[in-house]
Amino acid sequence: MTQLNSYRSGPDERGHFGIFGGRYVSETLMPLILEVERAYTAARKDPSFQKELDYYLAHYVGRPSPLWLAERLTKALGGAKIYLKRDELNHTGAHKINSCMGQILLAQRMGKKRIIAETGAGQHGVATATVCALFGLSCTVYMGATDIARQAPNVFRMKLLGAEVKPVTSGTGTLKDAMNEALRDWVANVENTYYIIGTVAGPHPYPMMVRDFQSVIGRETREQIMGFEGRLPDKLIACIGGGSNAMGLFHPFLDDKDVAMDAVEAAGLGLDTGKHAASLQGGRPGVLHGNRTYLLMNEDGQIDEAHSISAGLDYPGIGPEHSWLHEIKRVNYVAATDDDAIEAFKLLSRTEGILPALEPAHALAHVARIAPKLPKDYLIVMNLCGRGDKDIFTIGERLGVKL
Amino acid sequence: MSRLAGRFAELAKEGRAGLVTYVMAGDPDAAQAQAILDGLPAAGADVIELGLPFSDPMADGPAIQAAALRALKAGASTRSALGQLKKFREKDQTTPVVLMGYYNPIYIYGAEKFCKDAAAAGADGLIVVDLPPEEDAELRPYAKTAGLDLVRLATPTTDDKRLPIVLEGASGFLYYVAVLGVTGTRSAVTDEVSAAVARFRKTTKLPIAVGFGIKTPDGAAAIARNADACVVGSALVQQVIEGPAAEAAGRVHGLVKALAGAVRAARAKRTA
Ligand SMILES: Cc1ncc(COP(=O)(O)O)c(C=O)c1O
């Protein structure tokens, strides 16, 4: 592991984490990106902004989310002691709303009246539509046509919340194409529009800003585990789509050198099949969507399609800070397949009475893999970042059950 | 003098604006794409922008997105685009060609090697849409060494505070993106464009080309009254699919002729 004074000081003033990150956007967006950065820098220093955010997180989102000692799961696996950070209990059912709440407060400070977002699983879209309804702002969500088909309940939810859901058929009709389309919208509507990006990706300051807003997960976890155990956990585990729930859990612990961290990418049909979404383990550094990061691509630099049963992990890139943490080896990146995730989904449903979203089911698959071999006093905290209600149709199809 | 500087000097002498035509390398297939490119100068193109296909063209509208995907599907790549240019240069040594694309394929090719190979193939300049001045230090020195102009973009959001950042180190020409939005969607508004061009002229001696949102001969003529060049892309690329693939070149050249006629007559009309 590279020794640095702190792993928490990034990015630099140009938005770089090592060679990753940056602001690779067209000139039309550049002034706006700089404006977002200025506004965020000011808000970050303003105690009244944090106070307002804390208010909404407590009374609307329902934070802090509990840290739950999963006793029956621990017993079933027969090794390490497993805690679940219950971000699936947030209003709207996932961690996405933590960042949406922060960003919509910022958008309002900037005087923006129209909100756009991209979504994969629909969780970020639902969270964005929710905060737009709460504050009475117009909301347009771009969603790949493929994802619309497999996440129908969330599409309907967004519409009920008053958002316009625009299907994206260009490219492969998944999350990356939705992000392209959202960027195209933004270029055409820079004056009145704020783009709420759903993960720790995009041009600077988004990776930093979304991380900061999601870090509430790790800050709470720290306090809660100290309360239960009087010490920090031995290992943190989270799944990776773009990497926001993982950054949120990890970031407050990065300088605690005894806390190990495993992040779980989606291995789809298997890392060796080429049908996966594991950018770090199967990709290489490139430039897309405003930042340099690990990407799935062919030898000509054309972006490849990602594959995962989980729409929320089905993205051929990853946030730039993860690329950096991977290269300096502070975080260990592993993978779980579609099948692993389904098994983990069943395991948690039956041992703890919690249907996990397919995204954190990937993290759970890794927990199930390593926990049995670890001692009973080894503490694992896994981010249960979403609930599985949205996935019951996908799971039903997998299990051959018609709903 | 570079081919680009030479061409803009000739245009100034003739007292007219130039026509810059954008086509996508490898679209709809290697043979038609070659025929399209090779025939552009005779049809009236003063400068050529050759699009490098990319899977995720964030700054482009539906027409150019579709063109890139057609090209990639037909087997095009960054390498084959340079091959196409090389063949063009066997017949034409005078028309400036600027390669326009996104950074990832260039980065993966290797920025230094790309600049070398592009110059060797006969390119005169580069436009990399998603590489703003803040990030282009990783390409600029290699472009310079290879003798390629790295063309910078200005947009309606480039205010007086930002303009010097854009102009610092800009070469070849200044490309004014005339609309807020992606290629081929909105139409450029002539009065706003004239005002912007006048503003830029106060701060730079670079020729000013105006693009995005110019679709018709009339639209081109309106822009050509003030700008040093007008760029037409989506409308040409759209011609590729407006009929049988084998006749794509003819359709594209037909529109280029009409555009060139309008651009050449634009200022004559004003003084008449
Ligand atoms: C429940 C859930 N978890 C995880 C993700 C993946 O995103 P990230 O890696 O940014 O947390 C998503 C994305 O939609 C999600 O809905």
Side-chain angles (χ1 to χ4, degrees):
Chain A
M1 195 191 294
T2 317
Q3 282 304 322
L4 295 173
N5 287 335
S6 172
Y7 295 96
R8 304 179 64 228
S9 55
D12 67 18
E13 71 284 358
R14 292 169 53 235
H16 291 241
F17 303 91
I19 67 160
F20 301 103
R23 289 181 282 227
Y24 296 84
V25 296
S26 62
E27 178 59 28
T28 310
L29 285 182
M30 206 55 208
L32 189 63
I33 293 291
L34 296 171
E35 188 193 335
V36 172
E37 187 192 344
R38 270 193 304 275
Y40 178 59
T41 307
R44 208 182 186 192
K45 285 192 218 130
D46 180 352
S48 72
F49 178 79
Q50 191 57 49
K51 207 170 146 210
E52 193 183 8
L53 177 57
D54 288 346
Y55 172 83
Y56 286 106
L57 289 179
H59 304 291
Y60 187 77
V61 175
R63 302 209 71 93
S65 69
L67 185 68
W68 169 246
L69 171 58
E71 284 188 77
R72 281 192 14 97
L73 175 67
T74 297
K75 208 154 157 209
L77 295 173
K81 194 168 176 183
I82 301 157
Y83 283 89
L84 302 174
K85 179 59 174 165
R86 305 278 313 269
D87 254 53
E88 103 282 10
L89 291 176
N90 293 337
H91 179 43
T92 71
H95 66 294
K96 298 286 178 185
I97 197 159
N98 300 330
S99 157
C100 289
M101 193 56 87
Q103 289 193 64
I104 200 149
L105 294 180
L106 184 70
Q108 291 186 98
R109 274 172 81 105
M110 294 175 70
K112 304 290 182 188
K113 299 278 180 256
R114 176 174 177 265
I115 300 293
I116 57 170
E118 87 295 339
T119 195
Q123 282 309 115
H124 176 60
V126 166
T128 304
T130 298
V131 295
C132 287
L134 176 64
F135 292 104
L137 298 186
S138 127
C139 180
T140 303
V141 178
Y142 290 93
M143 187 167 186
T146 312
D147 290 337
I148 286 184
R150 61 180 165 172
Q151 299 286 340
N154 272 345
V155 175
F156 188 51
R157 249 174 228 137
M158 286 184 268
K159 290 183 179 164
L160 290 173
L161 290 161
E164 181 190 8
V165 181
K166 287 204 173 167
V168 177
T169 50
S170 62
T172 53
T174 56
L175 184 52
K176 83 171 170 80
D177 307 291
M179 195 151 180
N180 289 336
E181 214 51 43
L183 286 165
R184 289 178 187 124
D185 178 312
W186 208 19
V187 169
N189 299 290
V190 277
E191 319 260 296
N192 69 344
T193 300
Y194 180 93
Y195 179 12
I196 298 190
I197 295 184
T199 190
V200 284
H204 179 62
Y206 281 96
M208 168 181 83
M209 178 168 65
V210 174
R211 173 201 74 196
D212 291 350
F213 289 140
Q214 290 294 358
S215 291
V216 66
I217 301 173
R219 285 197 305 272
E220 287 174 6
T221 300
R222 232 185 138 84
E223 233 181 272
Q224 291 165 323
I225 195 83
M226 289 305 288
F228 279 118
E229 299 281 349
R231 69 176 180 95
L232 295 182
D234 295 294
K235 183 167 270 185
L236 305 173
I237 296 178
C239 66
I240 297 266
S244 68
N245 86 84
M247 273 321 302
L249 176 64
F250 295 172
H251 195 258
F253 293 92
L254 283 176
D255 286 338
D256 298 291
K257 63 179 183 359
D258 294 332
V259 179
M261 298 171 196
D262 290 356
V264 187
E265 295 189 294
L269 301 181
L271 286 183
D272 50 3
T273 63
K275 302 242 179 246
H276 60 77
S279 325
L280 285 177
Q281 294 162 87
R284 57 201 167 118
V287 173
L288 181 72
H289 294 155
N291 65 98
R292 189 195 325 270
T293 194
Y294 274 72
L295 300 168
L296 300 178
M297 61 177 124
N298 73 10
E299 68 295 334
D300 186 35
Q302 309 297 338
I303 307 304
D304 277 337
E305 202 175 334
H307 289 270
S308 171
I309 189 171
S310 144
L313 305 185
D314 209 347
Y315 179 64
I318 182 169
E321 193 165 10
H322 283 291
S323 292
W324 177 70
L325 291 168
H326 168 66
E327 290 209 339
I328 63 169
K329 298 189 161 54
R330 175 63 184 97
V331 176
N332 179 33
Y333 292 84
V334 299
T337 63
D338 291 352
D339 289 343
D340 297 339
I342 296 278
E343 283 312 305
F345 180 97
K346 292 197 253 174
L347 175 67
L348 194 68
S349 305
R350 290 182 190 167
T351 53
E352 296 291 334
I354 301 171
L355 306 185
L358 277 172
E359 291 82 13
H362 286 72
L364 189 69
H366 180 62
V367 171
R369 199 158 49 200
I370 64 168
K373 290 169 264 175
L374 292 165
K376 294 200 171 359
D377 61 352
Y378 190 94
L379 302 180
I380 290 178
V381 175
M382 189 202 100
N383 197 2
L384 186 52
C385 59
R387 67 179 83 132
D389 309 43
K390 70 180 172 65
D391 293 316
I392 55 173
F393 296 96
T394 308
I395 307 236
E397 200 175 295
R398 261 301 170 117
L399 303 180
V401 180
K402 218 171 153 81
L403 298 182
Chain B
M1 202 188 298
S2 76
R3 263 192 291 255
L4 265 172
R7 179 53 49 97
F8 277 107
E10 284 165 30
L11 290 168
K13 222 156 129 198
E14 288 176 40
R16 69 172 179 93
L19 174 66
V20 182
T21 57
Y22 173 101
V23 293
M24 176 64 71
D27 173 38
D29 57 56
Q32 268 303 307
Q34 195 70 52
I36 291 172
L37 180 63
D38 292 356
L40 288 174
D46 297 301
V47 174
I48 294 169
E49 274 180 27
L50 184 61
L52 301 172
F54 182 47
S55 54
D56 293 80
M58 283 92 66
D60 285 299
I64 293 181
Q65 285 172 42
L69 293 185
R70 283 197 299 270
L72 290 172
K73 213 165 159 200
S77 64
T78 309
R79 210 168 295 276
S80 75
L82 298 184
Q84 189 186 337
L85 172 55
K86 205 165 179 173
K87 273 200 186 146
F88 169 82
R89 275 280 173 255
E90 288 166 10
K91 295 173 210 128
D92 184 309
Q93 287 84 46
T94 55
T95 309
V97 175
V98 177
L99 299 173
M100 182 161 182
Y102 292 81
Y103 189 50
N104 196 53
I106 294 173
Y107 177 65
I108 293 306
Y109 194 105
E112 182 172 14
K113 184 167 161 38
F114 174 80
C115 290
K116 255 192 210 154
D117 291 358
D124 301 288
L126 304 176
I127 301 174
V128 189
V129 182
D130 55 350
L131 202 63
E134 280 80 355
E135 301 290 354
D136 75 7
E138 56 186 282
L139 184 64
R140 176 161 296 283
Y142 302 127
K144 196 163 181 197
T145 307
L148 296 172
D149 286 314
L150 196 49
V151 173
R152 287 259 177 85
L153 304 168
T155 74
T157 62
T158 312
D159 57 17
D160 285 335
K161 208 169 123 233
R162 184 156 175 85
L163 190 57
I165 299 171
V166 169
L167 289 172
E168 166 82 45
S171 64
F173 56 92
L174 181 66
Y175 189 139
Y176 180 56
V177 174
V179 295
L180 282 179
V182 293
T183 51
T185 47
R186 291 181 181 165
S187 291
V189 178
T190 314
D191 290 350
E192 288 171 16
V193 173
S194 317
V197 169
R199 183 159 69 88
F200 299 147
R201 289 225 195 275
K202 280 189 222 146
T203 12
T204 182
K205 292 206 161 55
L206 286 175
I208 297 163
V210 176
F212 282 49
I214 305 171
K215 299 168 184 173
T216 59
D218 282 350
I223 299 296
R225 277 174 211 133
N226 290 299
D228 299 304
C230 58
V231 189
V232 180
S234 298
L236 292 175
V237 159
Q238 188 61 30
Q239 285 302 318
V240 171
I241 52 162
E242 294 287 301
E247 293 158 25
R251 286 190 301 275
V252 173
H253 297 152
L255 180 55
V256 172
K257 273 186 198 129
L259 291 162
V263 165
R264 280 160 207 255
R267 290 193 202 162
K269 220 182 260 169
R270 185 184 49 176
T271 45

